[in-house]
Amino acid sequence: MKPSCISLMTDFGLSDEYVGVMKGVIASINPYAQVIDITHQIMPQNILQAAYTLWFSYAYFPKNTLHVVVVDPGVGSDRQIIALKASDYFFLAPDNGILSFILNKFQCSAVRIDRSEFFLPNVSDTFHGRDIFAPVAAHISKNQNIENFGSIISSKSLTTLSNTGPYVKNKQVIGKVIMSDRFGNLITNISVKDMNQISSKDDITIQIRDTKIMGISCHYEQVKKNTLLAIIGSKGLLEISVNCGNAKHELGVEIGCQICIK
Amino acid sequence: MKPSCISLMTDFGLSDEYVGVMKGVIASINPYAQVIDITHQIMPQNILQAAYTLWFSYAYFPKNTLHVVVVDPGVGSDRQIIALKASDYFFLAPDNGILSFILNKFQCSAVRIDRSEFFLPNVSDTFHGRDIFAPVAAHISKNQNIENFGSIISSKSLTTLSNTGPYVKNKQVIGKVIMSDRFGNLITNISVKDMNQISSKDDITIQIRDTKIMGISCHYEQVKKNTLLAIIGSKGLLEISVNCGNAKHELGVEIGCQICIK
Amino acid sequence: MKPSCISLMTDFGLSDEYVGVMKGVIASINPYAQVIDITHQIMPQNILQAAYTLWFSYAYFPKNTLHVVVVDPGVGSDRQIIALKASDYFFLAPDNGILSFILNKFQCSAVRIDRSEFFLPNVSDTFHGRDIFAPVAAHISKNQNIENFGSIISSKSLTTLSNTGPYVKNKQVIGKVIMSDRFGNLITNISVKDMNQISSKDDITIQIRDTKIMGISCHYEQVKKNTLLAIIGSKGLLEISVNCGNAKHELGVEIGCQICIK
């Protein structure tokens, strides 16, 4: 039998024992589960970053992977924990918008996780990752029928984030920087399809603050070292980079900064 | 056969190849062992932090897990390496106090690791994690009888840390901050049981430096955003937090800072 | 059947989803592969650091491990991706010098990876880790015959780094700091064999900037706390350390700093 796969994404970091303990709980219940970390360095409580990161990752995992996301500022309050079956994947997360892009794209079956016999015996007020998410994930990975773990609900009732996409105004596409990565690449929410609404890829101008970049490069080394470029990155989105350098530091911009294309 | 589980905790960090090499050695000897990281970000040579982190983690792993802790300022000197069987778990660590809480709580069988046929052929002076801990751990995970790996010794002879608990004075519980986490939560050494010695949970006052917090919250969102609160955290200990914020930065306190409860 | 082992080393860091996605791709193709991280914190685009780290790590893994290194400033350009069979191991990396030490030491079979039926269907310009390295690695781990994945080439044609070793001048060995680790240990490119060219280990003087260290210690605790020492580290190379301290901060030196021995 193939191992069943569980991916983990949290804002717990790797300095504390939190992630290790979650994996200990999973291994106690399903020693055959294959656990893969997406990242644990989501900025604390940053639901939007987690939603994007999940969206850019989920489809590269084996079919039937259970993606578990614990970025959960509402832990211990009455926010719900939900499981989804969508496309060929399963998802387990708090109902706080993390699953927005999945919910918007796919027809989903949804369950509110409320059968406490699958939780650890003593549920703390602050660490549902260990006490609820990990044991429920391990049980789902053995059973793969989310309906056994709670009450069926309408996916229409679930929380989604709004205003995440770019828009067109005066023949310009107005988007924003949604993430930066370790290399200082600035990832925008503007896709090739968005750009095609106003122009061909070749005679495009990208403006970020006072800086203008002409045209889209095909790879980093197409420009000189330490030079700014625009490129279609691995997520299919426009990215601003510096060849062998760091665009985030170079431009001094933060997540949310506006990008304008004409 | 279920995979046998080895947990790893070190102060090696993740920037160097040290942890990866330990896992390579383990996989060479027991390719079926399941290795789970607790954390590798223990502050360099911080034995107390490692002791607490192990104490808060070990019981969430599968029974018979071997917990390996390498925080080892005495590497290469005549400090001993010991294996313990305690409760339903195994432990492998230098004899420097890391196992204090385990030794204080459980009746333990102890072995001094001295059978060099289980070490790598060339033992360096500086990296026993690779040359001794990893190969011995892999062999124990196959054999699960620690007596095969060295001389039986009395667990009474082993190093333990002192003054780790809080105390009561003038009807106040005096404790301290023992850890902080990625969210800036300040974890104290004061348990619910300690607090019950002087007061009921409801009309308690917590003082840290000049700041007073009244009462214990049940979850973070019980107070407004960016507001201090006290809460019983997931370790069963009193924690000082800021809802959607960072108590460590807010209060500017360090590990060891005194906490006073009345 | 034993799991086949794949090691991963990149400069992707752990904050982004890049490493997790590579593991998802591998698990999709070979769910039985055992993936072990060497490190993902190679400094961005630092080929020399990656080459050294691989050299110090590869031999501690199970025979037939496939070592995958993605430090790849030329991604998307016409640089080649190569697979090697050398000694008892396999290697997959861009042809940019990362494999220098392997190529210099062993007789190698080499293949240029060019059979795109083993790539993901849509290859991006910026993330060959996901689109080429991960799927090819997973297929090699199932097949273990690199000749199936591209054209045989001469290993003599591959890129190697030069001037990596120390040299002798005026009865002194002149080397340099090649790495520092989390503890601030300064690792040099000077081996015991290099030192034996000029002196016996006992009456040696090590000079780094204006600081002189007399003799080689056997372990850290041989000197007082917070005192500088020289020691033969776990890589068989001379290291400069501070007992319970940080030599890198103490001396304020960077990678590349000259070390002189007489």
Side-chain angles (χ1 to χ4, degrees), chain C residues 84-87 102-110 153-155:
Chain C
L84 290 188
K85 172 94 176 76
S87 178
I102 306 294
L103 286 164
N104 289 342
K105 171 131 179 201
F106 298 110
Q107 201 152 8
C108 302
S109 317
I153 54 175
S154 163
S155 66

Side-chain angles (χ1 to χ4, degrees), chain A residues 84-87 91 99 102-110 153-156 158:
Chain A
L84 290 188
K85 173 94 176 75
S87 179
F91 300 87
L99 301 175
I102 306 294
L103 286 163
N104 289 341
K105 171 129 179 203
F106 298 110
Q107 200 151 8
C108 302
S109 317
I153 55 175
S154 163
S155 66
K156 307 287 181 209
L158 298 174

Side-chain angles (χ1 to χ4, degrees), chain C residues 29-206:
Chain C
I29 294 167
N30 183 2
Y32 303 103
Q34 179 178 30
V35 178
I36 297 180
D37 300 308
I38 294 185
T39 181
H40 298 288
Q41 313 270 25
I42 298 292
M43 285 178 285
Q45 291 112 17
N46 193 320
I47 291 165
L48 184 61
Q49 186 194 7
Y52 276 122
T53 302
L54 179 66
W55 181 239
F56 299 140
S57 306
Y58 80 94
Y60 292 98
F61 283 76
K63 305 277 180 222
N64 292 316
T65 292
L66 171 63
H67 293 292
V68 180
V69 188
V70 192
V71 177
D72 192 12
V75 61
S77 73
D78 60 0
R79 69 88 185 84
Q80 298 179 357
I81 296 173
I82 51 174
L84 290 188
K85 172 94 176 76
S87 178
D88 294 315
Y89 296 94
F90 298 93
F91 300 87
L92 181 66
D95 177 27
N96 60 13
I98 283 174
L99 300 175
S100 293
F101 301 112
I102 306 294
L103 286 164
N104 289 342
K105 171 131 179 201
F106 298 110
Q107 201 152 8
C108 302
S109 317
V111 164
R112 181 179 60 237
I113 299 297
D114 54 15
R115 289 192 47 193
S116 61
E117 65 267 39
F118 296 108
F119 304 172
L120 290 198
N122 298 304
V123 174
S124 69
D125 294 319
T126 60
F127 191 10
H128 288 186
R130 176 191 69 192
D131 302 333
I132 301 180
F133 288 93
V136 169
H139 284 292
I140 292 177
S141 76
K142 291 204 293 191
N143 181 291
Q144 305 214 326
N145 187 348
I146 59 174
E147 296 180 13
N148 294 337
F149 297 90
S151 319
I152 295 174
I153 54 175
S154 163
S155 66
K156 307 287 181 207
S157 70
L158 298 174
T159 308
T160 53
L161 305 167
S162 51
N163 298 321
T164 57
Y167 58 93
V168 176
K169 185 174 165 182
N170 299 335
K171 297 192 179 168
Q172 300 184 18
V173 180
I174 314 290
K176 58 187 172 186
V177 174
I178 55 170
M179 307 173 92
S180 63
D181 68 12
R182 191 192 190 210
F183 302 94
N185 298 315
L186 298 168
I187 296 134
T188 75
N189 61 349
I190 301 170
S191 68
V192 176
K193 203 173 142 197
D194 294 324
M195 288 191 289
N196 286 345
Q197 290 183 271
I198 54 145
S199 177
S200 81
K201 214 173 116 180
D202 295 327
D203 58 354
I204 229 162
T205 301
I206 296 116

Side-chain angles (χ1 to χ4, degrees), chain A residues 62-127:
Chain A
K63 305 278 180 221
N64 292 316
T65 292
L66 170 63
H67 293 291
V68 180
V69 189
V70 191
V71 177
D72 192 12
V75 60
S77 73
D78 60 0
R79 69 87 186 84
Q80 298 180 357
I81 296 173
I82 51 173
L84 290 188
K85 173 94 176 75
S87 179
D88 294 314
Y89 296 94
F90 298 93
F91 300 87
L92 181 67
D95 177 27
N96 60 14
I98 284 174
L99 301 175
S100 293
F101 301 112
I102 306 294
L103 286 163
N104 289 341
K105 171 129 179 203
F106 298 110
Q107 200 151 8
C108 302
S109 317
V111 164
R112 181 178 61 238
I113 299 297
D114 54 16
R115 289 193 46 193
S116 61
E117 65 267 39
F118 296 109
F119 303 172
L120 290 198
N122 298 303
V123 174
S124 69
D125 293 319
T126 60
F127 191 10

Side-chain angles (χ1 to χ4, degrees), chain A residues 157-169:
Chain A
S157 70
L158 298 174
T159 308
T160 53
L161 305 167
S162 52
N163 298 322
T164 57
Y167 58 93
V168 176
K169 185 174 165 182

Side-chain angles (χ1 to χ4, degrees), chain B residues 61-175:
Chain B
F61 282 76
K63 306 278 181 221
N64 292 316
T65 292
L66 171 63
H67 293 291
V68 180
V69 188
V70 191
V71 177
D72 192 12
V75 61
S77 72
D78 60 0
R79 69 88 185 84
Q80 298 179 357
I81 296 173
I82 51 174
L84 290 188
K85 172 93 176 78
S87 178
D88 294 314
Y89 296 94
F90 298 93
F91 300 87
L92 181 67
D95 177 27
N96 60 13
I98 284 174
L99 300 175
S100 293
F101 301 112
I102 306 294
L103 286 163
N104 289 342
K105 171 131 179 201
F106 298 110
Q107 201 152 9
C108 302
S109 316
V111 164
R112 181 178 61 238
I113 299 297
D114 54 16
R115 289 192 48 192
S116 61
E117 65 267 39
F118 296 109
F119 304 172
L120 290 198
N122 299 303
V123 173
S124 68
D125 293 320
T126 60
F127 191 9
H128 288 186
R130 176 191 70 192
D131 302 333
I132 301 181
F133 288 93
V136 169
H139 284 292
I140 292 177
S141 76
K142 291 205 293 190
N143 180 291
Q144 305 214 326
N145 187 347
I146 58 174
E147 296 180 13
N148 294 337
F149 297 91
S151 319
I152 295 174
I153 55 175
S154 163
S155 66
K156 307 287 182 209
S157 70
L158 298 174
T159 307
T160 53
L161 305 167
S162 51
N163 298 322
T164 56
Y167 58 93
V168 176
K169 186 174 165 182
N170 299 335
K171 296 192 179 167
Q172 299 184 18
V173 180
I174 314 289

